[in-house]
Amino acid sequence: MIRDLVSALDYSMFAELALALFVVAFATMTYGTLRLSKNASDRFASIPLSDDVEDPRP
Amino acid sequence: MATGTPTNGPGDAALSSDSGTEEVRLEQFQYDDGIVRLFATATIVWGIVATLVGLIVAVLLVLPSITGGLPWFSFARLRPLHTNAAIFAFAGNGIFAAVYYSTQRLCKARMWSDVLSRMHFWGWQLVIVSAAITLPLGITQSREYAELEWPIDILIAVVWLFIFGGNFLMTLIKRRERHMYVALWFYIATIVTVALLHVFNNLVIPAGWFKGYSIYAGVQDAFMQWWYGHNAVAFFLTTPFLGLMYYFLPKAAERPVFSYKLSIIHFWSLVFIYIWAGPHHLHYTALPEWASTIGMLFSLMLWMPSWGGMINGLLTLRGAWHKVAADPVLKFFVVGVTFYGMSTFEGPMLSIKSINAFTHYTDWTIAHVHAGALGWNGFMVFGMLYWMLPRLFQTKMWSEKLVSLHFWTGTIGILLYIIPIYAAGLMQGWMWRAMDDTGHLMYPDFIETTQSIVPLWWLRVVGGVLYVSGMLMLGLNAMMTWMGRPAEYENPVHTAPRLSKSYVDHTPTPTSPIDDAPVLELGKKVSIWSQMGWHRRWERLPVRFTVFTTIAVVVATLFEVIPTFLIRSNVPTIATVKPYTPLELAGRHIFVSEGCYNCHSQMIRPIVSETKRYGEYSKPGEFIYDRPFQWGSRRIGPDLAREGGKQSSFWHWTHFENPENVSPGSVMPAYGHLLTEDMNYDAIAPHVKVAAYLGAEYTEEDLNNTAEVAYKQAEYIAADIVAQGGPAKAYEKQAIALIAYLQRVGVDLFATEEPAATEEPAAPEAVEGEEAETTEEVADGDFTPEASSEDAAAK
C-alpha cells in the first residue's frame, strides 16, 4: 500500500515540502525560544561553570 | 564538597536518608577521571598515528614508487586508513574524552557503570586496531568512512550503541542536575544518529568472514552511502564537537555561553536540517533530480544554524578577549571555531549545483575536509586537551611555551596545507573543462592535469610535516606532564541530593494573555503552547528528549529514503545490462579491495567536458549490479565508467606492472603483486552465490561450476594477452580477473540484445565453425584448449 501511496506522489514537490516542513519547525522553535525567560536562560547558560552541585537548587 | 574517599566504594553511595523522603536524600559520589585519562591518552596516540599516516599518503602521491610496490603501503590502501584513523581514532577518542569528562560534571554524577566505561574504551581501541590491520590488507567495503567489513561493523554497533549509548543514557537518567545542559543534547543527537547511520548503511549479506555485499546497489547504494557519509561529518565531526565547545569554551573563558537561546535554536535547526543534506554529494550523477535538489536546498540552509553556533562560540569570549592573547587554550578554541565558520560557509557553497559541478572530484574537496578536520576538529581537541591535561594529571603543564609553539606550528601547517590544495582544485577544475575555440578539450590527456598540480602536492607535504610536528609536541608535552603527576591522584568526593522521581515544577501554571479576550478556546491553548513550557519539560526528560531527537532525524531520512527505495522508476533498468560474470565479479572484488575508487571515479556526469573526455554519460540503470557503487569522490586518475574495451588487455597488464610504461608521468603506483599472486578460482563461488541471492541472474553452471566458468574466461583473456606479446600463463594471476572486470565496465549500455532464439536450432556446422575460429585464435596465442581444459580440471 505504501508503494502505491508513494507512487502517487509528485517528487518535484519534495524539495518544497521539505522546506515548508523546516520553516514551520524552525519558526516554532525560534518563537518559543525567544520567549524563554532571561532568568532561566542565564541559569542554564551557567551550568558548565560549576562542577559542584548547588544546593538548594535554584 | 569534601575531599577523601567515600566509604561505599568509588561510585555513588547513599549518605543519609534522615527524613525518609527522596527529595532530601544526600548522596556521595566521585567523578571517574580515570576513563577520561585513558581516552585523552588514546586521542594523542592515535592523533599522532593518523597524521603520520596522512603525511605518508601525501608523500606517496608525489613519490609513488617510494614503497617499492608493497601492496600494504599503497596510496589506495593507506588513504582509507588515514581517514579512518583521523575520524574514528583521533576525533573519536577525543569525543569520548570530552563526553566522559563533561557529562559527569553536567549531570553531577559518576558514569553509570565503570565496567561499561572500560568496555567502551577497550572495545573502541579493538575496533581501531582491527581497522589498522584489515585496511592495509585490502579487506574493505570501499565505501568512504564505512570501509570496515561486517564483523568489525557489528563490533562498532555493539560498542557504540549498547555499551557507550547505554552507559550514557543511564547516566542521564541517574543524574543529579535537573536541567540537561545543551552540550548533552548534542551528545544525545550524536549517539542516536550515528547508531542509525551506521546500522542502516552497513546492512550486508556476508560472503565470508572478510567480505560482505551491501543489500543496496548502484544508485541506492550511493544514496545510502552519502546519507551516511555526509551525516558522519554532521553527527561525528560536528555535533559532538559543538557539545564539546558548549562545555569547554565557557570553562576555559570562565564565561557563561553567550546566548543559551541561540544554542537551543542552533541545536534543533542543525539536527533537523543536517540529515537531509547528503545528496549534494551526488549532483549530476544518476541520482534523481528531486533528491539532489533537496540536498542542495538543505545544505544552503545549514549555513545559518552553523554560523549561529560559531557566533555563539566566539561571542562567549565577549569581555575575555584579553585572555585569548595570553592563553593558548583559548587561541586553539578561537581558531577552531573560526575554521568551523569557514568550513560551514564553504560547505553550503560547494553544494550549489553549478559550483559543485566545478569542484566535485577535484582537490578542492580535499582542502575543504582538511580545513574542517585539521582546523575545527583538530584544534578543538587540542584546546580541550590542553585545558584538561593539567586537571587530569593534577599538575602544571610541562611547557606552556611548547603549547604556544604547537598552536603556531599547527596554524601555519593548516594554511600551508589547504591553500596549495585549494589552488590545485581550481587548476584541476579549469583544466578538466578547458576547451579551445574549435570545441576540443585543451588538455585531453588526463595526466597533464595531474602533473601540473604535483608541485602543489609538495607544498602540502610541507604543511603536513608542520602539523605532524605539532602533534608530536602535544605528545611530548602530555607525556612530560604525566611524568610530573602526583604519587596518588586526589579524588574529590562530592555530596548532593539525588533528584526526586516526581518533579514538582514551581513555575506558575502558564496562562494566556488572551484569557479574557473573546477568542476561541483553541486560540488560548495555542497561546499557552507557544510559551514552550513543554520544551522546558523535555529538557528534564532524557528518554523523551532522545526519542524526539530520533524522530527529527528519522522523519527527514524517511522523506528521502522511501521514494528512493520504493519507486522502481527511480532506477530504470536497461535490458542490455547484465550481471558480471564470475571472473568479472572476482575482478571487481580486487578493484574494491585495492581501493581503486580513491583515485578513479566511475561516474560520467552529463557535462560537455566530461562526455568529451570519457564518453557517454552514466545512466542509473547501468549500476543495478554494482555492490558497492564505485562512483568515487575524487579523480587522481581518469574516470573509468567507460573503460571497457578502451585499451587492450595487455595494456592493462603492463599498466599494473608499471604505469609509467604506458602512461609516462603517472602518479599511480605499480601493482606488481597482481601479476605475481595466484588467482584462487575456488574462492569466487561465495561471491557469485551472494550476488545471485541479491538478485543477479546467474545460470546453474555459473552457480555450481563457478571456478570452471571463471577459469574458462580467464583463459581467453590470457590468450589475448599472449597474442599481444604478453607473458604466458597470465590466467593464473589475479590481474587477469581485474582486467576482465575493467574490460566489462561501461560496455553493457552499448551492447545489442541477443536476438530471441529461433525455433530451428543453429546448424551444427556453423557452431563447429565458430569453435574452430576461436580455437585458431587461441592457438595463435600459444595456448592450447586441451591444456587449459586439463588445467581447469586440475583446479
Side-chain angles (χ1 to χ4, degrees):
Chain A
M1 193 189 95
I2 193 162
R3 188 182 290 258
D4 296 334
L5 179 71
V6 177
S7 298
L9 295 174
D10 174 9
Y11 302 125
S12 63
M13 292 293 292
F14 266 53
E16 288 85 346
L17 276 176
L19 181 62
L21 190 60
F22 167 73
V23 168
V24 170
F26 181 75
T28 308
M29 194 53 62
T30 306
Y31 177 68
T33 303
L34 293 177
R35 297 190 63 162
L36 177 65
S37 75
K38 189 170 184 318
N39 178 32
S41 172
D42 290 347
R43 186 156 47 90
F44 297 155
S46 300
I47 289 175
L49 292 180
S50 168
D51 292 342
D52 300 325
V53 181
E54 286 181 52
D55 193 37
R57 290 189 179 80
Chain B
M1 188 186 84
T3 301
T5 308
T7 49
N8 293 354
D12 296 357
L15 185 68
S16 66
S17 182
D18 53 350
S19 71
T21 59
E22 287 178 334
E23 284 75 19
V24 293
R25 188 176 174 189
L26 287 177
E27 291 174 334
Q28 286 185 333
F29 60 95
Q30 292 169 301
Y31 297 131
D32 179 9
D33 283 344
I35 189 69
V36 188
R37 278 189 282 270
L38 284 174
F39 276 118
T41 307
T43 307
I44 297 167
V45 170
W46 291 121
I48 293 170
V49 172
T51 48
L52 264 179
V53 178
L55 183 59
I56 291 168
V57 294
V59 171
L60 285 175
L61 273 180
V62 289
L63 298 170
S65 341
I66 199 169
T67 59
L70 282 174
W72 312 286
F73 300 115
S74 69
F75 172 82
R77 289 196 191 181
L78 287 189
R79 193 247 186 178
L81 182 68
H82 162 59
T83 51
N84 276 267
I87 297 170
F88 300 112
F90 170 58
N93 278 300
I95 292 165
F96 300 140
V99 169
Y100 278 93
Y101 187 89
S102 59
T103 299
Q104 296 186 76
R105 271 112 183 134
L106 291 172
C107 291
K108 306 291 186 284
R110 190 184 180 90
M111 291 308 292
W112 181 61
S113 163
D114 287 0
V115 174
L116 286 182
S117 299
R118 265 62 187 178
M119 282 173 71
H120 176 200
F121 176 78
W122 292 111
W124 196 256
Q125 308 319 308
L126 180 61
V127 167
I128 295 166
V129 171
S130 305
I133 294 169
T134 55
L135 292 176
L137 288 176
I139 298 167
T140 170
Q141 293 194 76
S142 273
R143 303 163 90 225
E144 283 183 82
Y145 325 133
E147 281 93 352
L148 303 177
E149 276 295 353
W150 66 270
I152 308 174
D153 284 338
I154 291 173
L155 179 62
I156 292 173
V158 170
V159 171
W160 180 272
L161 189 58
F162 296 106
I163 298 178
F164 173 44
N167 200 13
F168 177 81
L169 190 62
M170 286 309 296
T171 309
L172 286 190
I173 290 169
K174 300 285 181 186
R175 74 196 186 285
R176 296 187 183 85
E177 176 69 51
R178 180 70 64 184
H179 185 85
M180 289 194 301
Y181 180 67
V182 66
L184 297 172
W185 309 2
F186 279 105
Y187 298 153
I188 291 172
T190 302
I191 292 170
V192 166
T193 315
V194 169
L196 193 75
L197 297 168
H198 173 75
V199 169
F200 283 96
N201 188 45
N202 286 299
L203 293 175
V204 300
I205 305 294
W209 282 103
F210 303 114
K211 186 68 200 164
Y213 280 94
S214 172
I215 63 164
Y216 317 107
V219 176
Q220 291 168 344
D221 191 44
F223 176 82
M224 282 306 286
Q225 164 58 23
W226 281 116
W227 169 75
Y228 163 88
H230 189 77
N231 288 314
V233 174
F235 290 92
F236 204 90
L237 299 177
T238 304
T239 52
F241 284 86
L242 289 168
L244 183 162
M245 179 189 85
Y246 276 120
Y247 180 79
F248 287 98
L249 190 55
K251 277 283 200 193
E254 295 171 325
R255 294 273 190 287
V257 64
F258 167 67
S259 167
Y260 198 77
K261 292 178 182 181
L262 183 56
S263 70
I264 299 174
I265 297 171
H266 176 205
F267 172 80
W268 283 111
S269 330
L270 210 69
V271 166
F272 194 87
I273 296 178
Y274 236 129
I275 206 85
W276 305 76
H280 75 228
H281 286 264
L282 300 167
H283 285 330
Y284 297 108
T285 66
L287 191 76
E289 177 68 21
W290 61 267
S292 179
T293 303
I294 286 183
M296 183 183 86
L297 196 65
F298 275 80
S299 303
L300 278 168
M301 291 196 300
L302 258 178
W303 180 22
M304 283 299 133
S306 303
W307 272 35
M310 176 196 68
I311 290 166
N312 215 359
L314 289 180
L315 288 183
T316 298
L317 296 166
R318 199 174 54 155
W321 284 100
H322 60 284
K323 291 185 185 176
V324 178
D327 185 357
V329 169
L330 288 177
K331 282 183 194 167
F332 274 110
F333 282 138
V334 167
V335 172
V337 175
T338 307
F339 268 103
Y340 175 63
M342 276 175 54
S343 301
T344 53
F345 172 76
E346 189 188 10
M349 293 305 110
L350 292 178
S351 76
I352 297 171
K353 288 184 184 181
S354 50
I355 297 176
N356 188 274
F358 183 87
T359 59
H360 194 56
Y361 294 128
T362 73
D363 274 21
W364 188 286
T365 314
I366 313 303
H368 170 60
V369 297
H370 280 85
L374 300 177
W376 162 239
N377 299 123
F379 271 39
M380 292 305 285
V381 167
F382 300 150
M384 175 190 75
L385 286 174
Y386 283 124
W387 185 86
M388 275 200 316
L389 288 176
R391 289 164 175 81
L392 290 175
F393 296 141
Q394 297 178 6
T395 182
K396 279 172 63 179
M397 209 63 214
W398 179 63
S399 169
E400 290 291 337
K401 279 186 181 170
L402 202 57
V403 179
S404 211
L405 187 63
H406 178 191
F407 171 78
W408 288 111
T409 315
T411 307
I412 296 167
I414 295 172
L415 295 177
L416 209 49
Y417 182 107
I418 61 172
I419 292 170
I421 300 306
Y422 279 125
L426 277 175
M427 281 176 69
Q428 283 176 318
W430 275 318
M431 291 178 84
W432 289 348
R433 58 170 55 200
M435 281 190 266
D436 60 22
D437 294 341
T438 59
H440 291 99
L441 293 172
M442 287 177 71
Y443 306 98
D445 289 335
F446 186 90
I447 210 154
E448 273 186 275
T449 67
T450 307
Q451 284 174 327
S452 62
I453 59 172
V454 168
L456 298 169
W457 284 351
W458 272 110
L459 279 175
R460 167 175 48 190
V461 171
V462 178
V465 167
L466 286 178
Y467 199 85
V468 173
S469 325
M471 285 296 317
L472 293 172
M473 289 175 205
L474 168 64
L476 175 68
N477 217 346
M479 191 179 74
M480 297 307 291
T481 306
W482 172 74
M483 288 177 76
R485 71 194 183 284
E488 198 171 331
Y489 289 122
E490 199 175 299
N491 207 354
V493 179
H494 302 267
T495 305
R498 66 190 288 182
L499 293 179
S500 60
K501 282 180 184 167
S502 51
Y503 176 67
V504 181
D505 192 350
H506 294 295
T507 50
T509 310
T511 53
S512 167
I514 53 172
D515 262 351
D516 300 326
V519 294
L520 290 174
E521 279 303 309
L522 180 66
K524 293 174 185 173
K525 283 180 181 169
V526 168
S527 171
I528 291 172
W529 182 85
S530 70
Q531 291 174 25
M532 301 280 281
W534 47 274
H535 194 271
R536 297 289 86 70
R537 195 156 174 267
W538 289 6
E539 293 163 24
R540 301 191 294 264
L541 301 170
V543 175
R544 191 171 301 187
F545 195 93
T546 304
V547 169
F548 284 120
T549 305
T550 311
I551 289 172
V553 173
V554 169
V555 164
T557 298
L558 293 180
F559 229 80
E560 292 179 332
V561 168
I562 290 177
T564 308
F565 283 81
L566 289 188
I567 301 305
R568 197 176 289 273
S569 65
N570 276 336
V571 188
T573 53
I574 298 169
T576 53
V577 173
K578 305 290 184 200
Y580 297 105
T581 66
L583 185 67
E584 290 158 5
L585 197 64
R588 193 170 204 276
H589 173 55
I590 295 173
F591 187 90
V592 165
S593 293
E594 294 297 339
C596 302
Y597 76 100
N598 284 290
C599 301
H600 296 284
S601 56
Q602 286 186 27
M603 167 55 58
I604 303 169
R605 297 173 296 175
I607 295 171
V608 176
S609 57
E610 292 205 7
T611 52
K612 274 183 172 293
R613 187 182 297 277
Y614 302 117
E616 179 66 16
Y617 70 89
S618 304
K619 314 286 189 294
E622 290 186 79
F623 304 100
I624 57 172
Y625 298 111
D626 284 3
R627 299 170 198 270
F629 80 110
Q630 290 284 277
W631 298 356
S633 57
R634 180 193 192 187
R635 287 176 182 150
I636 296 177
D639 185 273
L640 299 180
R642 299 277 172 241
E643 184 58 29
K646 268 191 178 174
Q647 307 286 356
S648 70
S649 296
F650 183 46
W651 184 96
H652 284 294
W653 181 277
T654 313
H655 191 232
F656 298 143
E657 191 172 30
N658 184 1
E660 288 242 47
N661 287 346
V662 286
S663 304
S666 172
V667 294
M668 178 172 150
Y671 280 83
H673 65 282
L674 296 177
L675 312 185
T676 54
E677 287 175 16
D678 283 345
M679 181 73 204
N680 182 0
Y681 284 89
D682 289 330
I684 301 175
H687 298 258
V688 177
K689 284 191 168 61
V690 172
Y693 177 80
L694 288 167
E697 291 169 4
Y698 284 104
T699 63
E700 286 299 313
E701 179 75 358
D702 288 336
L703 289 167
N704 297 326
N705 297 310
T706 310
E708 285 76 11
V709 170
Y711 194 77
K712 203 170 176 183
Q713 188 184 1
E715 284 177 337
Y716 280 105
I717 297 170
D720 199 26
I721 290 173
V722 170
Q724 291 156 15
K729 293 198 171 181
Y731 53 84
E732 290 178 349
K733 306 303 173 191
Q734 291 185 1
I736 215 75
L738 184 52
I739 291 170
Y741 168 65
L742 289 172
Q743 293 291 26
R744 174 70 185 277
V745 176
V747 299
D748 279 14
L749 183 66
F750 309 106
T752 48
E753 268 208 274
E754 287 178 22
T758 53
E759 286 184 9
E760 288 187 19
E765 290 79 14
V767 174
E768 280 173 18
E770 278 177 22
E771 280 180 353
E773 195 179 318
T774 310
T775 307
E776 192 180 345
E777 283 173 9
V778 172
D780 282 346
D782 195 23
F783 185 85
T784 59
E786 290 80 10
S788 64
S789 302
E790 282 170 18
D791 282 355
K795 283 175 186 294

